[in-house]
Amino acid sequence: PELGNLSALTQLILEKGAIGMTGTIPRELGNLTSLQELDLSWLQVSGSIPPELGKLSALRVFKVSGTKLSGPIPPELGKLSELRVFQVSDTKLSGPIPPELGNLSAIEQWFMVHTRVSGTIPPELGQLTKLQILHLNSNRLS
């Protein structure tokens, strides 16, 4: 929770095993309005992605691949208008892709491989004109 007080922080990159971070992603990270990169890949974090992360208006890179995160992708992430890279592969995230993610107008790279995401690909994703890489294999999408 103390990390949520670092209002000038622009990068939060925690490598696998670097600090042994476990538990859930603190919702207080949503207070880091200057944050441009959040990389928690391969940490032993679990639970869901806090909807408060949708308040990270400067965020350009979001990486949580290889974590134990589960549950739905919060539609609030569709508010991340500066997001360029979205990596949520090798997680237990489930449910449909929220149509609100079609608002990620700056997105260039989207990696969602080996998850439990299901349903159809929302037509709103067709609005992502800057998208260069889209990996959606090994999911439950139809």
Side-chain angles (χ1 to χ4, degrees):
E2 294 81 17
L3 288 176
N5 296 327
L6 302 175
S7 60
L9 191 68
T10 59
Q11 291 184 321
L12 179 56
I13 302 170
L14 302 174
E15 295 180 13
K16 178 182 178 182
I19 61 167
M21 184 175 170
T22 60
T24 59
I25 298 175
R27 66 176 186 259
E28 292 82 4
L29 293 185
N31 297 332
L32 303 176
T33 54
S34 298
L35 196 65
Q36 295 179 14
E37 182 171 358
L38 177 60
D39 187 349
L40 304 177
S41 297
W42 305 104
L43 292 178
Q44 296 298 306
V45 292
S46 58
S48 59
I49 297 173
E52 290 84 357
L53 297 187
K55 297 188 298 184
L56 299 175
S57 57
L59 196 67
R60 293 173 175 250
V61 177
F62 180 76
K63 296 180 180 179
V64 294
S65 293
T67 62
K68 295 182 178 183
L69 291 172
S70 60
I73 298 168
E76 290 84 355
L77 295 186
K79 297 177 185 173
L80 301 175
S81 60
E82 296 298 320
L83 195 66
R84 309 282 196 283
V85 178
F86 184 63
Q87 290 186 3
V88 295
S89 296
D90 297 304
T91 64
K92 294 180 181 177
L93 292 173
S94 60
I97 297 173
E100 291 85 352
L101 297 189
N103 296 327
L104 299 175
S105 57
I107 196 84
E108 297 172 354
Q109 299 178 19
W110 183 317
F111 297 91
M112 185 182 289
V113 179
H114 294 115
T115 70
R116 295 179 180 174
V117 172
S118 59
T120 60
I121 298 171
E124 291 84 354
L125 297 191
Q127 303 172 101
L128 304 177
T129 58
K130 294 185 179 179
L131 189 62
Q132 300 169 12
I133 300 172
L134 177 62
H135 288 207
L136 296 174
N137 50 306
S138 300
N139 289 298
R140 298 174 181 173
L141 295 168
S142 54

